[in-house]
Amino acid sequence: DAGVIQSPRHEVTEMGQEVTLRCKPISGHDYLFWYRQTMMRGLELLIYFNNNVPIDDSGMPEDRFSAKMPNASFSTLKIQPSEPRDSAVYFCASSPGDFTFFGPGTRLTVL
Amino acid sequence: AQKVTQAQTEISVVEKEDVTLDCVYETRDTTYYLFWYKQPPSGELVFLIRRNSFDEQNEISGRYSWNFQKSTSSFNFTITASQVVDSAVYFCALSGPLIRRLTFGEGTQLTVNP
């Protein structure tokens, strides 16, 4: 299996622009997670899905952030409008229920 | 609420030294899981180990070993005969009984010098 796939790997954008991060989980995994890593806050869970349904979005920082999972093989995390403080590494992860496997991350820089 | 504390922000050792990374956790769950992940300079998160709260047996995998002590709420990680390739940030993490959300510690930056 190719593992969790994220795209793009790097994104540089200007404040106010819309940013969309993409994730393809490992086939057969029922759970999908979006984590964010920053120097100030470390690794924190933003949202997770079970069978494509959002279960816990309490970590989503504000309404500018939204996540979708239209099918079992694809999820997006969208930031609109983006702000410099959104600069971070965003990890997508998937799990069959016992082990969590992380993607390589998307490094987002908002200028 | 769950909490993981890795008090050591940075550790620097010379190659072949043994090094122990500390992890202390807090949880109200009676069943829970503890994890260690490695984040090398390339940035990915690499799974190292998972333990459940009912299994306090220490585990050894090559140069890596883990000491789980429920009495002190600690899950420490020891690298024996460290190597330069062990240089990375190491994260300890905790989840509840259903292993859904992971609560991570702040991470320990380990630098192994030649």
Side-chain angles (χ1 to χ4, degrees):
Chain A
D1 202 319
V4 178
I5 299 172
Q6 291 187 247
S7 65
R9 295 293 309 277
H10 301 272
E11 177 80 28
V12 180
T13 190
E14 293 188 347
M15 183 174 64
Q17 296 298 306
E18 177 180 296
V19 175
T20 299
L21 311 181
R22 297 173 176 79
C23 175
K24 177 179 169 55
I26 295 172
S27 177
H29 285 192
D30 296 331
Y31 294 88
L32 183 138
F33 307 82
W34 284 100
Y35 284 84
R36 179 173 69 174
Q37 184 177 28
T38 61
M39 290 295 293
M40 292 297 295
R41 300 176 65 88
L43 273 159
E44 55 182 346
L45 178 68
L46 299 178
I47 184 171
Y48 81 89
F49 296 82
N50 178 213
N51 292 322
N52 314 337
V53 176
I55 302 300
D56 183 353
D57 64 354
S58 59
M60 295 286 263
E62 47 196 279
D63 292 345
R64 297 184 297 106
F65 286 69
S66 63
K68 294 182 179 180
M69 192 166 185
N71 57 63
S73 60
F74 184 67
S75 176
T76 60
L77 178 67
K78 185 176 294 186
I79 308 173
Q80 166 63 20
S82 57
E83 297 182 3
R85 59 192 168 121
D86 301 330
S87 297
V89 178
Y90 291 81
F91 288 99
C92 177
S94 70
S95 171
D98 50 4
F99 291 90
T100 302
F101 298 88
F102 285 80
T106 294
R107 181 173 295 278
L108 172 65
T109 303
V110 183
L111 303 173
Chain B
Q2 297 184 331
K3 185 178 180 182
V4 176
T5 302
Q6 295 179 255
Q8 304 150 308
T9 304
E10 296 181 23
I11 300 176
S12 182
V13 299
V14 177
E15 207 169 16
K16 299 184 182 178
E17 283 186 28
D18 298 347
V19 58
T20 295
L21 310 182
D22 297 333
C23 172
V24 175
Y25 63 92
E26 297 175 28
T27 180
R28 293 181 180 176
D29 292 316
T30 53
T31 301
Y32 51 89
Y33 292 83
L34 294 160
F35 305 80
W36 276 94
Y37 282 85
K38 174 182 180 179
Q39 188 173 42
S42 50
E44 70 271 26
L45 283 164
V46 179
F47 167 83
L48 295 178
I49 191 172
R50 182 195 79 175
R51 303 297 280 174
N52 72 56
S53 52
F54 296 106
D55 183 2
E56 290 192 68
Q57 191 171 15
N58 292 334
E59 182 158 340
I60 298 175
S61 176
R63 296 184 297 106
Y64 294 171
S65 62
W66 292 269
N67 181 268
F68 175 29
Q69 291 198 340
K70 216 168 177 178
S71 59
T72 57
S73 297
S74 65
F75 186 44
N76 297 336
F77 173 30
T78 297
I79 302 174
T80 302
S82 59
Q83 299 176 2
V84 173
V85 293
D86 296 327
S87 297
V89 180
Y90 290 86
F91 291 94
C92 181
L94 167 69
S95 78
L98 299 179
I99 312 183
R100 303 294 178 253
R101 58 189 310 138
L102 292 174
T103 299
F104 284 88
E106 305 90 338
T108 297
Q109 170 72 61
L110 173 65
T111 301
V112 181
N113 299 297

